[in-house]
Amino acid sequence: MNHLELLYNMITVLETIFLFVFSLLVYLANGATISSGDTAPNTLLAFNLLENHTLHLDAFKESYLCTVSYGSCYFFAEANNGHLTSAYPIGTAIVTFPLYVIFYVYLKLTEYLSVPIDLTSVSFEVHRLFFEKLAASITTAFTVSIFYLSLRLKFKRGLSLVTTFIFAFATNTWMTSSQGLWQHGISNLALVSIIFCLLKANRAKKHHRNKWLILAGIACGLLPGIRPTSAVYTIGAIIYSVFTYRRQAIFLFSGLITAVPSIVWNLYYFNNLVGGYSSSHLFSESPYSLNNFIESSLGTLISPGRGLLIFSPILVYSLLGAYQICQRKYDQDDLIGCMSVAGFILLFSYFLYRFWWAGHSYGPRFMTDILPIFCYLISYYLVNIFPKVLPNYKIISLKLFIFITLGLFSTLVQIAGAFGYNPGVLWNAIPLNVDLYHHRLWDIKDSQIERNMRASLNEIIKPNFDNATYIQGLDGVIQKITDEQDQPIQSLISVPPGYVQVFKANLKNTGVSRWVGYKSAVVIGETRIRGRFLDEKNNLISELRMFVSGNPRTNELVNAIGSINFPPEPGKYKLNFDLIAEGVSEFPKINDKSLYVINVDVIKPK
């Protein structure tokens, strides 16, 4: 190796380290863990093994995770052998285990030096979430670094940096992979490792090629146990290696031994290779159907609430890059071509998926699995298109303007997601649960992006609604409450235990202070209808909220909506509705007109 090659390698190493540190700092900057119960098992498995010396999760049956934090243990599964285990694949826990060993040692050396760690206590939740975010951010920053290194094997530095920036900050790599320990982030780590190792194998001398093939095989073996749907990439890598390396592909197959832990786990707990996904509490029927193609495909791509091209419009250039691949304008592009086919197959599978919106998440969470491939394709577009139009200044200026505009918008969307996160303004649940009311995914007037952007601005501006003048100026009347079909709710209703129904309300602002609705994303000071269930002894049973849609001034009318969960126990109840400024004050009571009362009989069906 001559001095120039040594200098070149040193610069590349420094660039990679800088990308890792910079990405890590950006991902951690919002100080929040953004995940769901889906990630809970993989954040506990390592701690549970190290502290309790068992792989069984039986200790969590009565834990805070099933009562306080989430109210449901859907992320745990009762295995065929009688033990509680993860309902989701454990590959993420396997890959992040070294990090969790460090986290565990840190806990032992600090706060828990002389006291056993009680993983089942609600007091441990702050540690669980902190280390989940740290593990996700570290592994995603590492993924970004490997992604850059793989680009540098084919493209120049400037182009590689641009594409890496898009992958890291203009897509859900930021808002999904780095913010919580979802399967997607670790799946992408395995995927970019496969691409990097196979690209290195292409350039290595024959006697050095074997080690790169083994490393690629290790990542291929881990992938199905991390996220089963991403096994399509493992298949793509195997097909490519067999046709490219022939007999030498045996070294890649030897690395597939890393699939064994996940296979043994699934066989031990579920007696099958699929694992928890086979349990009936997750899927009572096949989640794939041709009947969903139109809604799922359009929703996945262009819905305001989840559309890939709405949240990251810069990815439209991936299609143009794929065209360049088809034209075979680059040597040794068969690998990316093969993996691109796998990526498009994975994309198409979600066009048939009934739950295409991916539950409570920010943007197209499921599409995170295709991001490394689609971002890689952008490089092919850039390297093949821009040199051709350099002589024409106007054309290159227009193309650059469009590209930069789409890139900046895509990045701003991710910034809004990361820094506009607030449990009180979560778009997925307010005003109605998007899992139950799918029409909200198509609501242009109240999109998730806009709501989070407002929340981000509120973090900067800090609206003040707790002053005495604002509070004293609050007054209003609930004129009418109706059902979802706008039929009036009677003063006495009968419902079965645990019944859930959507209520609407017509309101009038009779005060001097302007109300603040949920679309403003302010939370503290927001005008809401408070509902309180009282039993026959006037004991408070539960509280609920209905959410005001607009920002009415004095004497203006407005609507509110909310989902009402009736008591699970039979009996006679009163449902009292009044108006509040959330987190600030009740509306000043001038007369009893501010209280709207519905008598409820909860009757057990015969």
Side-chain angles (χ1 to χ4, degrees), residues 168-446:
F169 306 117
T171 69
N172 264 55
T173 296
W174 187 347
M175 263 307 294
T176 298
S177 299
S178 75
Q179 300 300 297
L181 211 55
W182 302 93
Q183 301 168 26
H184 313 283
I186 306 302
S187 171
N188 281 351
L189 174 58
L191 175 57
V192 298
S193 298
I194 292 170
I195 294 174
F196 176 71
C197 290
L198 290 179
L199 287 175
K200 290 291 287 186
N202 287 342
R203 289 155 177 76
K205 295 181 180 179
K206 190 171 182 179
H207 60 281
H208 289 304
R209 183 177 297 160
N210 298 342
K211 66 179 182 181
W212 290 112
L213 290 176
I214 293 173
L215 291 173
I218 290 173
C220 284
L222 288 169
L223 199 48
I226 298 169
R227 187 156 177 80
T229 50
S230 292
V232 66
Y233 293 122
T234 294
I235 297 172
I238 290 173
I239 293 174
Y240 168 79
S241 299
V242 168
F243 281 94
T244 302
Y245 304 115
R246 306 293 180 178
R247 293 182 178 179
Q248 207 171 1
I250 190 66
F251 290 98
L252 182 139
F253 282 100
S254 68
L256 296 177
I257 194 173
T258 52
V260 171
S262 292
I263 292 174
V264 171
W265 181 281
N266 290 337
L267 290 174
Y268 178 72
Y269 282 105
F270 300 102
N271 294 332
N272 62 56
L273 298 176
V274 181
Y277 282 127
S278 64
S279 56
S280 59
H281 75 286
L282 286 177
F283 299 119
S284 58
E285 58 182 297
S286 173
Y288 295 94
S289 172
L290 279 171
N291 297 330
N292 301 300
F293 179 78
I294 295 178
E295 180 189 2
S296 298
S297 59
L298 293 179
T300 296
L301 295 176
I302 60 172
S303 68
R306 288 293 188 270
L308 178 66
L309 299 181
I310 301 299
F311 281 76
S312 293
I314 191 66
L315 292 176
V316 72
Y317 288 98
S318 302
L319 301 177
L320 302 177
Y323 174 77
Q324 299 297 325
I325 289 283
C326 293
Q327 297 297 304
R328 300 183 64 84
K329 296 192 175 183
Y330 249 72
D331 295 333
Q332 294 184 337
D333 59 7
D334 289 341
L335 171 61
I336 303 302
C338 194
M339 301 304 270
S340 296
V341 170
F344 278 102
I345 290 174
L346 184 57
L347 173 64
F348 184 81
S349 72
Y350 284 114
F351 290 170
L352 306 174
Y353 198 60
R354 289 192 293 123
F355 309 104
W356 56 269
W357 60 89
H360 283 210
S361 61
Y362 183 78
R365 175 169 66 86
F366 284 156
M367 295 298 98
T368 308
D369 298 332
I370 66 173
L371 293 179
I373 301 300
F374 276 44
C375 289
Y376 212 102
L377 289 174
I378 293 176
S379 297
Y380 284 90
Y381 167 76
L382 294 178
V383 78
N384 282 288
I385 295 298
F386 282 110
K388 293 182 179 180
V389 294
L390 281 175
N392 192 324
Y393 178 77
K394 292 184 178 180
I395 294 178
I396 186 63
S397 297
L398 178 61
K399 286 181 175 288
L400 276 174
F401 175 77
I402 296 173
F403 183 84
I404 292 173
T405 300
L406 293 180
L408 287 176
F409 176 80
S410 301
T411 304
L412 286 173
V413 169
Q414 299 302 311
I415 291 174
F419 293 94
Y421 174 78
N422 186 323
V425 298
L426 284 180
W427 179 88
N428 291 292
I430 297 174
L432 297 174
N433 191 328
V434 72
D435 286 338
L436 301 176
Y437 303 94
H438 307 155
H439 64 272
R440 295 192 57 230
L441 296 163
W442 302 93
D443 190 350
I444 299 176
K445 295 181 180 180
D446 179 33

Side-chain angles (χ1 to χ4, degrees), residues 15-89:
E15 291 170 346
T16 305
I17 294 174
F18 171 79
L19 280 172
F20 175 82
V21 174
F22 180 75
S23 299
L24 181 60
L25 292 176
V26 171
Y27 294 154
L28 293 173
N30 65 342
T33 302
I34 305 175
S35 61
S36 77
D38 295 18
T39 67
N42 279 318
T43 64
L44 291 169
L45 281 165
F47 281 142
N48 187 53
L49 175 61
L50 294 168
E51 179 67 15
N52 298 329
H53 313 296
T54 179
L55 294 173
H56 307 317
L57 300 176
D58 300 331
F60 297 95
K61 286 183 179 180
E62 304 297 330
S63 71
Y64 69 95
L65 287 168
C66 295
T67 55
V68 177
S69 297
Y70 297 104
S72 171
C73 289
Y74 71 90
F75 39 83
F76 293 140
E78 192 76 34
N80 295 338
N81 57 20
H83 292 291
L84 196 70
T85 188
S86 171
Y88 294 96

Side-chain angles (χ1 to χ4, degrees), residues 97-109:
F97 185 77
L99 285 176
Y100 272 87
V101 171
I102 297 173
F103 300 158
Y104 178 76
V105 171
Y106 170 80
L107 285 176
K108 281 295 188 182
L109 293 177

Side-chain angles (χ1 to χ4, degrees), residues 452-467:
N452 275 73
M453 284 186 172
R454 289 181 183 274
S456 298
L457 291 175
N458 291 336
E459 287 296 316
I460 300 173
I461 300 173
K462 300 289 184 183
N464 180 20
F465 294 104
D466 61 355
N467 61 77

